[in-house]
Amino acid sequence: MTDLSAFPTAVKWPAHHPDRIQLYSFPTPNGVKISAVLEELGLRYEAHRVDIMANETWTPDFLSLNPNGKIPAIVDPDGPGRQPIALFESGAILLYLAEKTGRLLPADSARRYETIQWLFFQTVAVGPMFGQLGFFCKFAGKAIEDKRPLDRFLGETKRLLGVLDTRLAAGKWIMGDEYTIADISLFGWVRILLGMYGARELVDFDSLEHVPAWLERGLARPAVARGLEIPA
């Protein structure tokens, strides 16, 4: 299917290549997961910048795709049964694209579920905790005199980094020698601690034994480097 007229997002963000996966995103830690995995998989896609700074996720057009008003979201014109499918939530999209291509997710059932549990570790723990730390150490939360919220999220962020560090002691990637969507889901969130949040010293990042080298390996992958800049 190349007719995307049933999707209001195609009106606000017209598709020049309607036969390709349509990505609606912004270069946040959650957004770059999807551009990075699309680049890694070599799938044909078209990226649309949804400006979260201008509240474009709260327009009726975008809400028709994701009623939760968050990027990223996709429309795949060639979904299951050759029918179009629209998806939101970055973890769900990563799983869908891995299963669509049979890549970045182990074929062995036990290892597949082990990978999925680490994907969920990112979506339910790392993302929310790191994001809250950023709010309190970089953005409006800085003005709050009561430092207990900052201390809470800082302590939890350091604990989660420790969990990740322990896991990586067993191999170069989350799943040992196998690079998966679990790794891709985490790069952007660890990266933002050192960049935008300026929290490298705050979280004692350089005291970690394995996470820094893992992050460096991940960011050095050409697909990840390209994905971090998409959408421009």
Side-chain angles (χ1 to χ4, degrees), residues 23 34 37 72-74 87-98:
L23 169 64
I34 309 307
V37 79
I74 67 166
L87 288 172
F88 63 89
E89 284 297 333
S90 58
I93 298 170
L94 286 174
L95 274 172
Y96 169 74
L97 294 173

Side-chain angles (χ1 to χ4, degrees), residues 32 43 48 66-67 69 72 94 136 154 157 159 161 174 184 190 198:
V32 299
L43 291 170
H48 303 277
N66 182 359
L94 286 174
F136 282 100
L154 174 59
T157 294
R159 186 190 70 80
L161 285 170
I174 298 297
I184 294 173
V190 179

Side-chain angles (χ1 to χ4, degrees), residues 153-170:
F153 294 118
L154 174 59
E156 187 66 0
T157 294
K158 293 172 71 173
R159 186 190 70 80
L160 292 169
L161 285 170
V163 173
L164 181 57
D165 205 53
T166 299
R167 174 66 179 185
L168 289 168

Side-chain angles (χ1 to χ4, degrees), residues 69-190:
K70 304 292 183 181
I71 59 93
I74 67 166
V75 173
D76 183 0
D78 185 25
R82 307 304 300 272
Q83 297 299 309
I85 184 172
L87 288 172
F88 63 89
E89 284 297 333
S90 58
I93 298 170
L94 286 174
L95 274 172
Y96 169 74
L97 294 173
E99 292 185 338
K100 176 184 176 76
T101 58
R103 294 173 56 196
L104 300 176
L105 191 62
D108 175 76
S109 182
R111 284 179 57 80
R112 178 178 180 273
Y113 281 111
E114 190 177 357
T115 305
I116 291 171
Q117 78 177 357
W118 283 100
L119 174 63
F120 284 10
F121 167 76
Q122 184 279 302
T123 58
V124 306
V126 167
M129 290 300 106
F130 286 21
Q132 291 295 338
L133 177 64
F135 176 78
F136 282 100
C137 77
K138 177 67 176 181
F139 299 109
K142 290 192 302 181
I144 298 175
E145 293 185 7
D146 185 346
K147 298 306 177 186
R148 285 176 295 181
L150 171 59
D151 291 343
R152 157 68 177 160
F153 294 118
L154 174 59
E156 187 66 0
T157 294
K158 293 172 71 173
R159 186 190 70 80
L160 292 169
L161 285 170
V163 173
L164 181 57
D165 205 53
T166 299
R167 174 66 179 185
L168 289 168
K172 61 187 295 187
W173 305 114
I174 298 297
M175 293 301 295
D177 290 333
E178 189 169 4
Y179 182 68
T180 70
I181 55 174
D183 297 287
I184 294 173
S185 74
L186 282 157
F187 292 142
W189 280 107
V190 179

Side-chain angles (χ1 to χ4, degrees), residues 25 46 60 69 91 108 122 145 156 176 191-192 199 209:
S25 190
E46 183 174 358
D108 175 76
Q122 184 279 302
E145 293 185 7
E156 187 66 0
R191 173 178 176 262
I192 202 171
E209 293 186 46

